[in-house]
Amino acid sequence: MTEITSPVIEEYISTYSSVEPELLKQVNRDTHAEVLMPRMLSGHFQGRVLAMLAQMIRPKRILEIGTFTGYSALSLVEGLAQGGELITIDINEELEDRVRAYFRKSERAEAITYLIGDAIKVIESMQGLFDLVFIDADKHNNLNYYNLIFDKVPSGGFILVDNTLWNGKVADPDLVVKDKDTRNLHEFNIFISSDTRVEKIILPVRDGITIIRKK
């Protein structure tokens, strides 16, 4: 396993970047204290990256696939255009009450729609276009999600995919062969790199974020 960003550098980045908003500090703190697998949370560094990207794009509609405890949704909604909508989907009913409570505290609460269910089935029933999509759910379905949402993103729209460096495992040929999750992510990266319909770049932010722009 390869460290993408050392803890020392990540702490330095967080120290000299915009501060973590109070609500996100609470989500961060609560998740690490009370929720299983807290590493799934985006956290200060990645959260500020997501907020900045959304502020640059100023999307009217955002779709997030994989809510967890709501940190990334609350980060992305900071850049949502006025009058816009963020829809976030998760299958974990056990976290629903917690996440809804966080969303109610947000200044953009009215713009957030939180759906519980199988993302593939939910997306199939959705209408309209999304200027920004963030894929951060079960990794073996990355390509399925990508194909499902592709026609729902307009030309010039963006798709962000999380965890595409997978702790650096995707760069290890032995792990690509031996580990199914690593192989799935590596194959997804190969597919995106060869997709001529889009421009793409992998940022070494935390566990890797691929930024994809539809031509």
Tab-separated table of all heavy atoms in Angstrom, residues 12-48:
chain	number	residue	atom	x	y	z
A	12	TYR	N	-0.860	19.822	7.268
A	12	TYR	CA	-0.366	21.135	6.836
A	12	TYR	C	-1.364	21.788	5.875
A	12	TYR	O	-1.693	22.971	6.000
A	12	TYR	CB	0.996	20.983	6.160
A	12	TYR	CG	1.646	22.288	5.773
A	12	TYR	CD1	2.511	22.946	6.642
A	12	TYR	CD2	1.405	22.880	4.532
A	12	TYR	CE1	3.117	24.152	6.287
A	12	TYR	CE2	1.998	24.076	4.172
A	12	TYR	CZ	2.855	24.706	5.054
A	12	TYR	OH	3.442	25.903	4.697
A	13	ILE	N	-1.845	21.003	4.911
A	13	ILE	CA	-2.818	21.509	3.939
A	13	ILE	C	-4.066	22.012	4.655
A	13	ILE	O	-4.581	23.099	4.369
A	13	ILE	CB	-3.195	20.409	2.925
A	13	ILE	CG1	-2.009	20.102	2.001
A	13	ILE	CG2	-4.412	20.832	2.092
A	13	ILE	CD1	-2.206	18.861	1.153
A	14	SER	N	-4.569	21.224	5.603
A	14	SER	CA	-5.775	21.607	6.327
A	14	SER	C	-5.548	22.884	7.136
A	14	SER	O	-6.427	23.754	7.219
A	14	SER	CB	-6.212	20.472	7.254
A	14	SER	OG	-6.560	19.320	6.507
A	15	THR	N	-4.355	23.005	7.724
A	15	THR	CA	-4.040	24.167	8.544
A	15	THR	C	-4.038	25.451	7.734
A	15	THR	O	-4.517	26.499	8.190
A	15	THR	CB	-2.667	23.985	9.226
A	15	THR	OG1	-2.727	22.831	10.073
A	15	THR	CG2	-2.292	25.210	10.060
A	16	TYR	N	-3.530	25.390	6.517
A	16	TYR	CA	-3.375	26.598	5.714
A	16	TYR	C	-4.402	26.719	4.584
A	16	TYR	O	-4.219	27.513	3.667
A	16	TYR	CB	-1.941	26.670	5.175
A	16	TYR	CG	-0.952	26.877	6.304
A	16	TYR	CD1	-0.227	25.810	6.812
A	16	TYR	CD2	-0.805	28.128	6.900
A	16	TYR	CE1	0.652	25.982	7.875
A	16	TYR	CE2	0.073	28.316	7.958
A	16	TYR	CZ	0.797	27.242	8.436
A	16	TYR	OH	1.659	27.426	9.495
A	17	SER	N	-5.461	25.954	4.677
A	17	SER	CA	-6.597	26.081	3.751
A	17	SER	C	-7.771	26.676	4.522
A	17	SER	O	-7.679	26.941	5.723
A	17	SER	CB	-6.973	24.719	3.174
A	17	SER	OG	-5.903	24.170	2.419
A	18	SER	N	-8.887	26.880	3.845
A	18	SER	CA	-10.078	27.409	4.507
A	18	SER	C	-10.472	26.509	5.673
A	18	SER	O	-10.318	25.281	5.613
A	18	SER	CB	-11.239	27.504	3.517
A	18	SER	OG	-10.958	28.434	2.499
A	19	VAL	N	-10.990	27.136	6.709
A	19	VAL	CA	-11.355	26.369	7.900
A	19	VAL	C	-12.558	25.477	7.609
A	19	VAL	O	-13.367	25.755	6.720
A	19	VAL	CB	-11.671	27.295	9.093
A	19	VAL	CG1	-10.457	28.117	9.475
A	19	VAL	CG2	-12.862	28.200	8.772
A	20	GLU	N	-12.668	24.419	8.378
A	20	GLU	CA	-13.795	23.506	8.281
A	20	GLU	C	-15.010	24.166	8.925
A	20	GLU	O	-14.950	24.562	10.091
A	20	GLU	CB	-13.444	22.211	9.001
A	20	GLU	CG	-14.398	21.069	8.826
A	20	GLU	CD	-13.912	19.822	9.554
A	20	GLU	OE1	-13.220	19.957	10.593
A	20	GLU	OE2	-14.231	18.725	9.091
A	21	PRO	N	-16.119	24.339	8.191
A	21	PRO	CA	-17.320	24.939	8.778
A	21	PRO	C	-17.780	24.184	10.028
A	21	PRO	O	-17.553	22.975	10.157
A	21	PRO	CB	-18.351	24.839	7.652
A	21	PRO	CG	-17.533	24.807	6.400
A	21	PRO	CD	-16.297	24.035	6.763
A	22	GLU	N	-18.435	24.885	10.930
A	22	GLU	CA	-18.820	24.313	12.215
A	22	GLU	C	-19.696	23.072	12.075
A	22	GLU	O	-19.518	22.088	12.794
A	22	GLU	CB	-19.517	25.360	13.082
A	22	GLU	CG	-18.588	26.417	13.634
A	22	GLU	CD	-17.466	25.837	14.489
A	22	GLU	OE1	-17.760	24.925	15.303
A	22	GLU	OE2	-16.321	26.279	14.340
A	23	LEU	N	-20.662	23.109	11.153
A	23	LEU	CA	-21.527	21.945	10.976
A	23	LEU	C	-20.715	20.736	10.516
A	23	LEU	O	-20.923	19.613	10.992
A	23	LEU	CB	-22.638	22.253	9.970
A	23	LEU	CG	-23.570	21.086	9.603
A	23	LEU	CD1	-24.213	20.478	10.848
A	23	LEU	CD2	-24.645	21.553	8.617
A	24	LEU	N	-19.767	20.967	9.628
A	24	LEU	CA	-18.943	19.857	9.151
A	24	LEU	C	-18.001	19.354	10.240
A	24	LEU	O	-17.691	18.159	10.300
A	24	LEU	CB	-18.163	20.283	7.909
A	24	LEU	CG	-19.028	20.494	6.658
A	24	LEU	CD1	-18.184	20.892	5.468
A	24	LEU	CD2	-19.821	19.240	6.328
A	25	LYS	N	-17.544	20.253	11.102
A	25	LYS	CA	-16.761	19.796	12.252
A	25	LYS	C	-17.576	18.832	13.108
A	25	LYS	O	-17.070	17.812	13.587
A	25	LYS	CB	-16.335	20.992	13.110
A	25	LYS	CG	-15.197	21.813	12.550
A	25	LYS	CD	-14.834	22.932	13.517
A	25	LYS	CE	-13.711	23.802	12.964
A	25	LYS	NZ	-13.378	24.917	13.882
A	26	GLN	N	-18.847	19.157	13.299
A	26	GLN	CA	-19.713	18.280	14.083
A	26	GLN	C	-19.897	16.929	13.400
A	26	GLN	O	-19.814	15.877	14.043
A	26	GLN	CB	-21.086	18.934	14.305
A	26	GLN	CG	-22.027	18.048	15.129
A	26	GLN	CD	-23.451	18.580	15.181
A	26	GLN	OE1	-23.730	19.690	14.728
A	26	GLN	NE2	-24.355	17.782	15.726
A	27	VAL	N	-20.158	16.947	12.091
A	27	VAL	CA	-20.330	15.692	11.350
A	27	VAL	C	-19.053	14.859	11.445
A	27	VAL	O	-19.099	13.641	11.681
A	27	VAL	CB	-20.686	15.971	9.875
A	27	VAL	CG1	-20.793	14.656	9.104
A	27	VAL	CG2	-21.988	16.763	9.762
A	28	ASN	N	-17.928	15.509	11.276
A	28	ASN	CA	-16.626	14.836	11.349
A	28	ASN	C	-16.425	14.200	12.716
A	28	ASN	O	-16.110	13.003	12.846
A	28	ASN	CB	-15.525	15.868	11.070
A	28	ASN	CG	-14.201	15.239	10.680
A	28	ASN	OD1	-13.938	14.083	10.967
A	28	ASN	ND2	-13.357	16.022	10.020
A	29	ARG	N	-16.646	14.993	13.746
A	29	ARG	CA	-16.445	14.532	15.121
A	29	ARG	C	-17.398	13.386	15.465
A	29	ARG	O	-16.991	12.341	15.998
A	29	ARG	CB	-16.647	15.708	16.079
A	29	ARG	CG	-16.406	15.396	17.548
A	29	ARG	CD	-16.468	16.664	18.380
A	29	ARG	NE	-17.750	17.359	18.243
A	29	ARG	CZ	-17.910	18.524	17.603
A	29	ARG	NH1	-16.895	19.132	17.039
A	29	ARG	NH2	-19.112	19.097	17.537
A	30	ASP	N	-18.676	13.564	15.164
A	30	ASP	CA	-19.674	12.545	15.488
A	30	ASP	C	-19.405	11.239	14.741
A	30	ASP	O	-19.551	10.143	15.303
A	30	ASP	CB	-21.079	13.034	15.120
A	30	ASP	CG	-21.563	14.181	15.992
A	30	ASP	OD1	-20.881	14.511	16.983
A	30	ASP	OD2	-22.618	14.755	15.658
A	31	THR	N	-19.048	11.358	13.472
A	31	THR	CA	-18.818	10.165	12.656
A	31	THR	C	-17.674	9.333	13.219
A	31	THR	O	-17.768	8.106	13.327
A	31	THR	CB	-18.529	10.558	11.200
A	31	THR	OG1	-19.646	11.287	10.673
A	31	THR	CG2	-18.310	9.317	10.338
A	32	HIS	N	-16.587	9.997	13.597
A	32	HIS	CA	-15.446	9.265	14.143
A	32	HIS	C	-15.743	8.674	15.524
A	32	HIS	O	-15.179	7.639	15.898
A	32	HIS	CB	-14.217	10.183	14.208
A	32	HIS	CG	-13.523	10.315	12.894
A	32	HIS	ND1	-13.872	11.269	11.948
A	32	HIS	CD2	-12.518	9.608	12.344
A	32	HIS	CE1	-13.104	11.130	10.882
A	32	HIS	NE2	-12.271	10.132	11.094
A	33	ALA	N	-16.644	9.290	16.257
A	33	ALA	CA	-16.946	8.813	17.609
A	33	ALA	C	-18.051	7.763	17.638
A	33	ALA	O	-18.063	6.908	18.533
A	33	ALA	CB	-17.341	9.995	18.497
A	34	GLU	N	-18.966	7.795	16.657
A	34	GLU	CA	-20.201	7.033	16.812
A	34	GLU	C	-20.576	6.130	15.636
A	34	GLU	O	-21.533	5.362	15.737
A	34	GLU	CB	-21.366	8.014	17.051
A	34	GLU	CG	-21.167	8.901	18.277
A	34	GLU	CD	-22.163	10.046	18.340
A	34	GLU	OE1	-23.022	10.136	17.438
A	34	GLU	OE2	-22.075	10.856	19.281
A	35	VAL	N	-19.852	6.216	14.516
A	35	VAL	CA	-20.264	5.491	13.310
A	35	VAL	C	-19.169	4.516	12.881
A	35	VAL	O	-17.973	4.842	12.956
A	35	VAL	CB	-20.573	6.482	12.159
A	35	VAL	CG1	-20.970	5.722	10.893
A	35	VAL	CG2	-21.682	7.442	12.582
A	36	LEU	N	-19.575	3.337	12.442
A	36	LEU	CA	-18.611	2.362	11.941
A	36	LEU	C	-17.966	2.858	10.651
A	36	LEU	O	-18.590	3.562	9.860
A	36	LEU	CB	-19.314	1.025	11.675
A	36	LEU	CG	-19.841	0.270	12.896
A	36	LEU	CD1	-20.623	-0.961	12.448
A	36	LEU	CD2	-18.697	-0.122	13.829
A	37	MET	N	-16.718	2.479	10.442
A	37	MET	CA	-15.954	2.808	9.235
A	37	MET	C	-15.907	4.321	8.968
A	37	MET	O	-16.254	4.786	7.879
A	37	MET	CB	-16.528	2.075	8.018
A	37	MET	CG	-16.499	0.562	8.156
A	37	MET	SD	-17.208	-0.309	6.747
A	37	MET	CE	-15.994	0.072	5.475
A	38	PRO	N	-15.472	5.102	9.951
A	38	PRO	CA	-15.453	6.561	9.785
A	38	PRO	C	-14.523	7.039	8.681
A	38	PRO	O	-14.655	8.170	8.212
A	38	PRO	CB	-14.990	7.062	11.158
A	38	PRO	CG	-14.233	5.931	11.765
A	38	PRO	CD	-14.956	4.702	11.282
A	39	ARG	N	-13.600	6.191	8.235
A	39	ARG	CA	-12.684	6.601	7.172
A	39	ARG	C	-13.426	6.889	5.862
A	39	ARG	O	-12.905	7.538	4.960
A	39	ARG	CB	-11.614	5.529	6.942
A	39	ARG	CG	-10.439	6.039	6.109
A	39	ARG	CD	-9.370	4.978	5.885
A	39	ARG	NE	-8.238	5.534	5.155
A	39	ARG	CZ	-8.217	5.772	3.858
A	39	ARG	NH1	-9.295	5.503	3.131
A	39	ARG	NH2	-7.149	6.278	3.262
A	40	MET	N	-14.661	6.407	5.754
A	40	MET	CA	-15.460	6.683	4.558
A	40	MET	C	-15.839	8.159	4.456
A	40	MET	O	-16.235	8.634	3.389
A	40	MET	CB	-16.720	5.813	4.564
A	40	MET	CG	-16.453	4.337	4.352
A	40	MET	SD	-17.928	3.308	4.616
A	40	MET	CE	-19.063	3.997	3.403
A	41	LEU	N	-15.727	8.880	5.548
A	41	LEU	CA	-16.056	10.309	5.552
A	41	LEU	C	-15.007	11.092	4.768
A	41	LEU	O	-13.816	10.814	4.850
A	41	LEU	CB	-16.094	10.794	6.997
A	41	LEU	CG	-16.428	12.264	7.220
A	41	LEU	CD1	-17.671	12.375	8.088
A	41	LEU	CD2	-15.268	12.960	7.939
A	42	SER	N	-15.439	12.100	4.019
A	42	SER	CA	-14.505	12.875	3.195
A	42	SER	C	-13.486	13.620	4.041
A	42	SER	O	-12.289	13.606	3.758
A	42	SER	CB	-15.283	13.878	2.328
A	42	SER	OG	-16.057	13.210	1.364
A	43	GLY	N	-13.909	14.306	5.094
A	43	GLY	CA	-12.994	15.021	5.962
A	43	GLY	C	-12.626	16.409	5.465
A	43	GLY	O	-12.985	16.817	4.360
A	44	HIS	N	-11.889	17.132	6.303
A	44	HIS	CA	-11.583	18.548	6.072
A	44	HIS	C	-10.920	18.803	4.715
A	44	HIS	O	-11.402	19.609	3.916
A	44	HIS	CB	-10.681	19.039	7.211
A	44	HIS	CG	-10.367	20.500	7.141
A	44	HIS	ND1	-9.540	21.115	8.054
A	44	HIS	CD2	-10.748	21.480	6.271
A	44	HIS	CE1	-9.435	22.406	7.756
A	44	HIS	NE2	-10.151	22.640	6.673
A	45	PHE	N	-9.814	18.133	4.446
A	45	PHE	CA	-9.044	18.355	3.221
A	45	PHE	C	-9.890	18.099	1.977
A	45	PHE	O	-10.092	18.979	1.131
A	45	PHE	CB	-7.791	17.471	3.271
A	45	PHE	CG	-6.974	17.429	2.009
A	45	PHE	CD1	-6.919	18.501	1.130
A	45	PHE	CD2	-6.210	16.309	1.714
A	45	PHE	CE1	-6.145	18.454	-0.025
A	45	PHE	CE2	-5.430	16.247	0.575
A	45	PHE	CZ	-5.404	17.321	-0.299
A	46	GLN	N	-10.423	16.891	1.873
A	46	GLN	CA	-11.211	16.555	0.686
A	46	GLN	C	-12.500	17.369	0.622
A	46	GLN	O	-12.937	17.762	-0.459
A	46	GLN	CB	-11.542	15.064	0.669
A	46	GLN	CG	-12.297	14.644	-0.597
A	46	GLN	CD	-12.481	13.144	-0.688
A	46	GLN	OE1	-11.723	12.372	-0.110
A	46	GLN	NE2	-13.494	12.714	-1.402
A	47	GLY	N	-13.094	17.635	1.775
A	47	GLY	CA	-14.317	18.433	1.791
A	47	GLY	C	-14.118	19.815	1.224
A	47	GLY	O	-14.959	20.331	0.474
A	48	ARG	N	-12.976	20.449	1.564
A	48	ARG	CA	-12.694	21.783	1.022
A	48	ARG	C	-12.419	21.712	-0.485
A	48	ARG	O	-12.744	22.648	-1.226
A	48	ARG	CB	-11.504	22.420	1.750
A	48	ARG	CG	-11.744	22.841	3.204
A	48	ARG	CD	-12.946	23.761	3.369
A	48	ARG	NE	-14.184	23.013	3.507
A	48	ARG	CZ	-15.390	23.493	3.212
A	48	ARG	NH1	-15.534	24.723	2.748
A	48	ARG	NH2	-16.465	22.762	3.369
